[in-house]
Amino acid sequence: MSQRFAATLVPMNSGPVLRTLIALLLLGAAPVVIAAGSNDACLKCHTDPTVKRESGPNMALTDPAKFRMSVHGGKKGQCIECHDDAETADGKDHPKKLKPVDCASCHEDEVAEVTKTVHGKPVDGDKAASTCVGCHGSPHEMLAKDDPKSLTNYVNMEAACGSCHGNDKVVAQRKLPGGNVQAAFHDSIHGRLVRDGSDFKAQAPTCTTCHGAHSIQSKKEVGSKLSHANQPAMCGSCHQRALVTYNSGKHGQLQQGGDKTAPTCTDCHSAHGIQDAASDNWQVAAIGQCGNCHDDYVESYHLTYHGKVTNLGYADMATCASCHGAHDIRPASDPLSPVSAEQRLTTCQQCHKQASVQLMSWDPHPRPSDSERSVVLYWANVGMNGLLIGVFAFFGLHTVLWAYRSFGDAIRRRRGGGSNR
């Protein structure tokens, strides 16, 4: 505001002292230059699509309503707290090109954690695998994780992580482990609990529950929550009862003893595609999971009536877990094992109510080729194979000789002589 404009607002018949005071007040209140660092000064240009740069790309625009609702704008944060080189002492325009924002200026611990992880490590030259914006979204519209609309809210976490881990093109380019894990998680029991709003929705795990947020590490790293040594405890943070029984079983004891080949949770249940263990499909599929380690036992199981019925997809038949248990699997020499001599009859009577001690002589894992384990079956198998070979050999030779004679008779008849029989 100019002195001439201020003077026009002061009555000319006022005394000189009064006119001076009024003029000074008007001049002091006039906003000649917006204070440096004010958000209003920034938004004046960055919300107006008609404002153009003198050269180069168009100016980045910000939605003022979304900015005020964001964690940064809602806390009355100043633009220059992030864009510190935009502040000018004389109130003039800031440099045409500002330096990249450093989130560590406020979030030092989180950035330090990410830098050490698979996301913080460079994949394309010096470019990190993922950035803060890649997960949290635009800092001008970023919402607190407790907000249902936030990208990092637990109900939206699948989509946030899936922008990379559910994108087949990105998965192929960066050779991400596990392939399209979002698709597997989406159809899993965990994914359905989060998505369908069940009573367990608030407790259902999502990506960060198992992998962590800023401290994500490869399962090959010792300190990872998903490493072989730490995985049971990680799953046990929700499945406490299963963890207790697992630790008391043979698998858990091997794992606690440092055996790298001991099966852990994901070896049996898988990682992202975990299904409801009570479903028929999983009950049947779990037999194959046991076969990854115990292939000889699963092969012999499929020779039995139990195995042949489950091969057809029926789950109402004894599977591995029906007899051996699930998390608390123990060797047959352990009296507490369901297949021990002390417990076997009780285990069989769960299905065969009228079973007697005689049923215990039945071998659930017959081996026709083992003369020591299955003597009777071995010789029966030898006899049956011998009989089959003998029958096919005899009638095969008989057929060849009969054909030879038939061809000879046909040739002789055609020549006008020989036997007509």
Side-chain angles (χ1 to χ4, degrees):
M1 184 181 293
S2 64
Q3 288 182 341
R4 180 179 300 175
F5 177 69
T8 61
L9 298 178
V10 183
M12 295 305 296
N13 59 352
S14 302
V17 175
L18 179 60
R19 289 202 305 272
T20 303
L21 288 174
I22 294 175
L24 288 173
L25 288 172
L26 289 172
L27 287 170
V32 177
V33 178
I34 297 176
S38 169
N39 287 347
D40 292 337
C42 300
L43 294 174
K44 182 179 179 181
C45 293
H46 288 278
T47 57
D48 187 354
T50 63
V51 177
K52 303 292 184 180
R53 295 178 186 268
E54 294 180 2
S55 61
N58 292 334
M59 185 176 296
L61 298 178
T62 299
D63 186 328
K66 291 182 178 180
F67 176 69
R68 294 188 185 99
M69 293 297 294
S70 71
V71 290
H72 294 143
K75 292 183 178 180
K76 302 186 183 304
Q78 296 294 318
C79 301
I80 58 172
E81 293 180 33
C82 296
H83 304 282
D84 55 1
D85 53 341
E87 183 177 18
T88 56
D90 54 5
K92 295 182 179 179
D93 292 344
H94 61 68
K96 293 181 179 180
K97 185 175 182 180
L98 299 179
K99 66 182 181 181
V101 172
D102 183 9
C103 298
S105 60
C106 292
H107 308 284
E108 183 178 359
D109 293 340
E110 289 81 358
V111 172
E113 284 185 348
V114 171
T115 304
K116 300 175 183 177
T117 68
V118 291
H119 284 158
K121 295 177 181 178
V123 291
D124 300 323
D126 58 350
K127 185 179 179 182
S130 184
T131 62
C132 307
V133 174
C135 297
H136 293 276
S138 168
H140 301 120
E141 301 177 7
M142 193 182 299
L143 300 173
K145 67 178 182 179
D146 296 332
D147 190 312
K149 296 180 181 179
S150 171
L151 293 178
T152 55
N153 184 274
Y154 78 101
V155 296
N156 302 321
M157 192 62 67
E158 176 193 334
C161 298
S163 62
C164 289
H165 295 277
N167 186 317
D168 291 330
K169 184 177 179 180
V170 175
V171 170
Q173 283 181 343
R174 299 190 176 180
K175 300 179 181 179
L176 299 181
N180 190 329
V181 296
Q182 182 192 10
F185 177 82
H186 187 80
D187 294 328
S188 72
I189 182 64
H190 291 159
R192 292 198 301 271
L193 287 174
V194 172
R195 186 173 65 254
D196 297 342
S198 70
D199 293 338
F200 300 99
K201 181 175 182 179
Q203 291 78 34
T206 186
C207 311
T208 54
T209 310
C210 301
H211 293 275
H214 299 102
S215 57
I216 296 175
Q217 294 177 306
S218 168
K219 65 180 181 180
K220 298 178 181 179
E221 298 184 36
V222 177
S224 171
K225 297 170 66 176
L226 302 176
S227 68
H228 186 269
N230 298 329
Q231 188 182 117
M234 188 273 295
C235 296
S237 62
C238 292
H239 305 281
Q240 293 94 343
R241 185 173 298 178
L243 176 63
V244 171
T245 53
Y246 170 81
N247 286 337
S248 63
K250 183 65 175 178
H251 292 162
Q253 292 172 2
L254 289 172
Q255 187 269 340
Q256 293 170 59
D259 189 339
K260 299 292 186 181
T261 63
T264 59
C265 313
T266 55
D267 290 308
C268 300
H269 294 276
S270 79
H272 299 96
I274 299 174
Q275 297 300 313
D276 183 356
S279 66
D280 290 350
N281 289 338
W282 194 87
Q283 292 282 340
V284 174
I287 298 171
Q289 300 287 12
C290 297
N292 291 333
C293 296
H294 307 286
D295 55 341
D296 53 339
Y297 282 96
V298 171
E299 182 181 355
S300 62
Y301 164 82
H302 284 306
L303 296 176
T304 68
Y305 177 76
H306 292 159
K308 293 185 182 301
V309 173
T310 54
N311 271 343
L312 298 175
Y314 294 99
D316 55 346
M317 185 57 58
T319 62
C320 308
S322 304
C323 301
H324 294 275
H327 298 104
D328 57 344
I329 296 175
R330 300 170 183 267
S333 57
D334 188 332
L336 297 177
S337 171
V339 295
S340 65
E342 294 84 353
Q343 306 290 338
R344 195 177 306 159
L345 180 60
T346 303
T347 300
C348 295
Q349 287 176 339
Q350 293 177 3
C351 297
H352 307 281
K353 304 298 183 182
Q354 306 300 322
S356 64
V357 179
Q358 292 180 337
L359 185 61
M360 294 176 61
S361 62
W362 175 72
D363 187 357
H365 292 285
R367 289 176 172 77
S369 60
D370 190 340
S371 61
E372 295 184 3
R373 179 184 176 100
S374 308
V375 179
V376 175
L377 184 60
Y378 172 79
W379 289 110
N381 187 58
V382 171
M384 177 58 71
N385 288 336
L387 178 62
L388 289 173
I389 293 173
V391 168
F392 279 102
F394 174 80
F395 283 101
L397 179 61
H398 180 273
T399 301
V400 171
L401 294 175
W402 189 275
Y404 176 76
R405 178 183 175 180
S406 298
F407 284 131
D409 289 346
I411 292 173
R412 285 192 290 273
R413 284 196 296 271
R414 180 174 295 179
R415 291 177 178 175
S419 175
N420 292 323
R421 289 182 298 172

